[in-house]
Amino acid sequence: MARLRLGPLLRYVDGDTATVWVEADRPCAAEVRCADGARGTARTFQIAGHHYALIPVTGLTPGTETAYEVHLGEQAVWPPPDSAFPASTIRTPSATGDEELRVTFGSCRWAAPPSGERDPVGPDALDTLAARISAAPDTERPDVLLLLGDQVYADQTSKATQRWLAARRNLSAPSPSSRLRSNRGDPIGVQVADYEEYTHLYYESWLDPEVRWLLSTVPSCMIFDDHDVIDDWNTSAAWLAEMRATPWWRERILSGLMSYWVHQHLGNLRPEELESDELYAAVRATPDGTDTLRAFAAAADADATAARWSYRRDFGRVRLLMVDTRAARVLEEGKRAMLDADEARWLREQALEGDCDHLLIGTSLPWLLPHLIHDAEGWNAALCRGERGERWARFGEDLRRRSDLEHWAAFPQSFEALTALIAEAGSGTAAPATVCVLSGDVHHAYVAEPSWPAGDAPESRVLQLTCSPVHNSIPTSIKLGFRFGWSRVGRALGRRFARHAQVTQAGIDWRRTGGPWFGNQLMTLTLRGRTAHLRLDQARARRGGTIRLETADRRKLS
């Protein structure tokens, strides 16, 4: 009989339909059976010896909650018979769509260490959220969880994973996967090298008991960032050329894209998108879809326009646009862009189509940064494209990689294009109440609010909401740097950088209106009609070993 290896993950939910993702240990029929009679079945598909299914559940009743079980063949495999958690359930929104919507988001999560081991970076915010919900399952919980990048760390593996890698292969032997070195000079042996090793990262992260239950009962949307593949992924054309010259990079990037498609991307899609997805159909139509998926990943790596990882989700009158800010880049120095022309056109069309009460733009990398960092990234981009000569260009490229200068500010034209799109989407009689840019990456949280020149301001309230990490760390020196970056002195220093490279000043100004907050944390937007409230919760350990989420900030946005 088939056994459940990973999952279930509740991914998409609307009024009468949901999708549930699972991995089994062998080919089988996977079925979801709900207590209210709704159900769904899908055959597993195979990738690199692993067997997955994304099960469409139909017949759900809008505005209700129902427990569900997962069956593989005729065997019930979820929930486990000895589970200490409440039943996994599917909550559907009402047909009218006028109830509250709670959107919880964050990014950057190292897998929590095994139970009983000391956690060097403090309590995991996802674990803590799961504990709070499971202790009182009938109280408030997120309607959707947005994971904004770095769900797994392929380049910063845990001690436990390194022991697993050492048992699988000789990390010091002169073999293709171990003698090579990463772009930072670290041994590739303790990083993941192929698809099988990527699957281990997902096991380590998603088999955490609290997180496994949480993902089984709260719908989730995901997007990658650099560590899902490697630090600085697609930071520049020079970086990419160096990586492609190494014999280990091709397997790394193909495995990274393949595993992301399987574990994260498929579940982001609406059922109707899945039905029309040619790659999904091709993978399911063959006994082994590995070669088909590998060819797709190779095409996506060679040409940014060959795949679209961005997607749209509508939650009643709340629109979410999740934007790929890694694989859709144009890297040629004279033409650098965060999004290629096709991707930028898609984003514009989705942002301006029809009307909504709230527009959420999910981008792993913040749009608005501390002023010093924003100006430093624009200055660095000018140096790298040769504005101050070849010597400064070499210095700029080295600094770009060492300091992670690759946010929207490092692509000045893209920054201005996104700014203009946000202003246009937030203007007119049908403008949403809020336009919120949701981001992570920078290992702290803050709220920033832009201001436009007189007469150009949109009607919508526009905010940059940044929340990171879910479970990670930040050195004290970086904390001080971010605080300084928002200061008047930091801002003045940034302007000097900009003048050195003759960088044009941004067309808007902005100020920090909340934070910075440091710690393992999650933000929650509560949206109803045209009102919006924001709450920041931090995972904190108290005396006696008690760990809980505590509210660090709460505010009304509209």
Side-chain angles (χ1 to χ4, degrees), residues 111-119 127 158-161 163 204 208-209:
S115 179
E117 290 189 13
R118 176 183 171 273
D119 194 330
D127 275 349
S158 67
K159 295 297 183 183
T161 291
R163 290 191 294 268
E204 181 180 46
D208 173 313

Side-chain angles (χ1 to χ4, degrees), residues 177-232:
S177 63
S178 59
R179 71 169 182 266
L180 305 172
R181 305 180 76 80
S182 78
N183 63 316
R184 296 216 172 184
D186 303 318
I188 196 66
V190 296
Q191 300 184 27
V192 300
D194 58 23
Y195 186 89
E196 185 65 27
E197 294 177 6
Y198 264 103
T199 66
H200 181 81
L201 295 183
Y202 285 102
Y203 294 154
E204 181 180 46
S205 185
W206 290 355
L207 287 178
D208 173 313
E210 288 80 9
V211 169
R212 190 178 196 183
W213 177 81
L214 180 70
L215 294 177
S216 77
T217 204
V218 175
S220 55
C221 298
M222 308 179 189
I223 195 69
F224 47 43
D225 199 19
D226 56 344
H227 291 285
D228 290 274
V229 175
I230 193 170
D231 189 24
D232 295 340

Side-chain angles (χ1 to χ4, degrees), residues 267-315:
N268 293 328
L269 303 181
R270 303 189 301 271
E272 57 268 30
E273 291 175 316
L274 289 168
E275 285 298 315
S276 62
D277 190 288
E278 295 180 359
L279 175 62
Y280 185 48
V283 165
R284 289 183 297 157
T286 179
D288 186 344
T290 307
D291 290 343
T292 300
L293 183 56
R294 188 177 179 86
F296 165 80
D301 176 51
D303 180 3
T305 65
R308 171 160 293 129
W309 304 106
S310 301
Y311 58 94
R312 168 178 166 174
R313 289 284 304 274
D314 291 310
F315 304 91

Side-chain angles (χ1 to χ4, degrees), residues 511-528:
R511 62 191 179 96
R512 174 176 52 84
T513 56
W517 296 285
F518 298 97
N520 294 328
Q521 51 206 349
L522 292 163
M523 277 183 174
T524 297
L525 274 171
T526 301
L527 309 168
R528 183 163 194 167

Side-chain angles (χ1 to χ4, degrees), residues 57 76 85 156 184 199 212 219 242 366 385 396 437 497 537 549:
V57 182
F85 294 97
Q156 296 178 10
R184 296 216 172 184
T199 66
R212 190 178 196 183
E242 289 182 19
R385 66 175 177 262
V437 180
F497 278 120
D537 292 325
L549 281 180

